[in-house]
Amino acid sequence: MKIAFIGLGNMGGGMAANLVKAGHEVRAFDLSDEAASRARDNGAQTFGSVREAVDGAEAVVTMLPNGAIVKQVYSADVIGHAPTTALLLDCSTIDVASAREVAAAATAAGYDMVDAPVSGGIAAANGGTLTFMVGGTDPAFARAEPILARMGKAVIHAGQAGSGQAAKICNNMILGATMIATCEAFAMANKLGLDGQTFFDIASKASGQTWSMTSYCPVPGVGPTTPADNGYQGGFATALMLKDLKLAMAAAKDAGAQVPMGQRAAELYDAFDKAGNGGLDFSAIIKTL
Ligand code: NAD
């Protein structure tokens, strides 16, 4: 299949390489020459513009930084330039309103489109083990699933347009809040004289168990190997967690949802990011507690 791939950064680079490995003809474009050159090394054909890359494509995948860029790329260079038979898949994490706006414009122009944000970081993008949360019609999902399956381990239909983004930010709002709650508990246990490993052994088998504890423990040397064991390098950057929490807060405002825990998590990650920690894994927030 001829697949145009726009946005070959930390995530898109590995995803495009996995489509090449699956036997697809990947027509790639990125504003960065360095990213384009890496994609060429991985077997993609690169082009000088989005319009050239989407010319004649049967599917278009985008993995871009934010909603403003996604809107701009689709309205200026994808819609009306890719064949209307092409399936459009936006895998970027963006706000629900922009996702719905782009999908409506694409549908009005005769395209099938899905929003398909991912869970999993750079390692999962490289390894083809991402989880995709997909928003779109049943026929659009049916077309998207086999393409996404070559880049991930799970592809889940969340509902109509924008539902993939809604699932992603609601999930990450839980993650942000529970990571802070888990960090607080470890820090307090320590102050109360409890050994970290002992507290892990108890809470991981009791009602306080969270994914942030058992799969991503923020305390070095406790539980499985995590970014905490590597000086909080790698993993899921604080800046990206903050981005997702801000998207969640915007969506909550639009929907009139009460999110006091998500709001507090957003404030705490904002302060942690502003203190110069945006590049550290998000579990490093334990250092502030
Ligand atoms: P990145 O900044 O590494 O990559 C984005 C790429 O898009 C860059 O190479 C940039 O040059 C390119 N780009 C920007 N504007 C463009 C345009 N107009 N046309 C063509 N290319 C353009 O970001 P990333 O880490 O790959 O993240 C991409 C998306 O995935 C984001 O929405 C992010 O929130 C989401 N995400 C990231 C992670 C992660 O761990 N990095 C995890 C889950 C989801």
Side-chain angles (χ1 to χ4, degrees):
M1 198 175 195
K2 279 188 191 171
I3 302 181
F5 204 112
I6 315 300
L8 307 157
N10 288 321
M11 298 291 290
M15 292 163 71
N18 283 324
L19 290 178
V20 172
K21 276 188 212 151
H24 292 299
E25 180 183 329
V26 175
R27 303 169 58 83
F29 173 72
D30 195 295
L31 288 177
S32 146
D33 290 339
E34 202 189 320
S37 147
R38 264 198 315 272
R40 256 194 315 279
D41 292 345
N42 288 329
Q45 198 182 346
T46 54
F47 293 85
S49 68
V50 174
R51 288 190 191 185
E52 287 172 70
V54 304
D55 187 30
E58 294 160 88
V60 177
V61 181
T62 47
M63 194 55 169
L64 295 162
N66 60 48
I69 293 175
V70 168
K71 280 205 281 194
Q72 198 269 329
V73 165
Y74 276 89
S75 65
D77 295 317
V78 177
I79 295 172
H81 298 280
T84 50
T85 48
L87 172 69
L88 310 181
L89 308 96
D90 179 37
C91 297
S92 328
T93 301
I94 67 169
D95 58 292
V96 176
S98 296
R100 292 196 169 135
E101 202 180 304
V102 175
T107 306
Y111 297 90
D112 274 343
M113 176 161 192
V114 295
D115 51 293
V118 306
S119 172
I122 300 163
N126 291 334
T129 57
L130 294 165
T131 293
F132 290 92
M133 303 158 226
V134 187
T137 62
D138 288 343
F141 176 75
R143 291 180 68 191
E145 192 180 21
I147 298 171
L148 297 173
R150 306 316 294 254
M151 300 183 282
K153 64 172 187 246
V155 182
I156 301 159
H157 194 186
Q160 294 304 306
S163 301
Q165 300 294 351
K168 161 91 186 173
I169 55 171
C170 288
N171 179 74
N172 279 18
M173 188 170 76
I174 297 176
L175 179 61
T178 53
M179 176 55 83
I180 295 170
T182 303
C183 289
E184 263 178 21
F186 272 106
M188 181 162 142
N190 181 264
K191 289 218 159 75
L192 294 172
L194 259 171
D195 172 62
Q197 183 64 49
T198 306
F199 177 59
F200 176 90
D201 292 343
I202 294 167
S204 64
K205 292 193 176 49
S207 47
Q209 187 271 336
T210 60
W211 182 90
S212 296
M213 176 182 295
T214 52
S215 297
Y216 213 90
C217 189
V219 183
V222 175
T225 304
T226 64
D229 299 306
N230 189 29
Y232 301 98
Q233 301 299 319
F236 184 44
T238 291
L240 287 173
M241 171 50 85
L242 179 61
K243 171 191 170 180
D244 291 357
L245 287 170
K246 284 184 173 169
L247 291 176
M249 292 311 101
K253 194 164 171 232
D254 285 351
Q258 299 296 316
V259 289
M261 302 295 285
Q263 173 72 43
R264 189 68 187 126
E267 288 163 9
L268 292 171
Y269 273 110
D270 190 38
F272 191 54
D273 179 69
K274 286 203 172 102
N277 300 304
L280 290 183
D281 180 72
F282 78 117
S283 64
I285 200 159
I286 195 168
K287 293 181 184 189
T288 66
L289 297 162

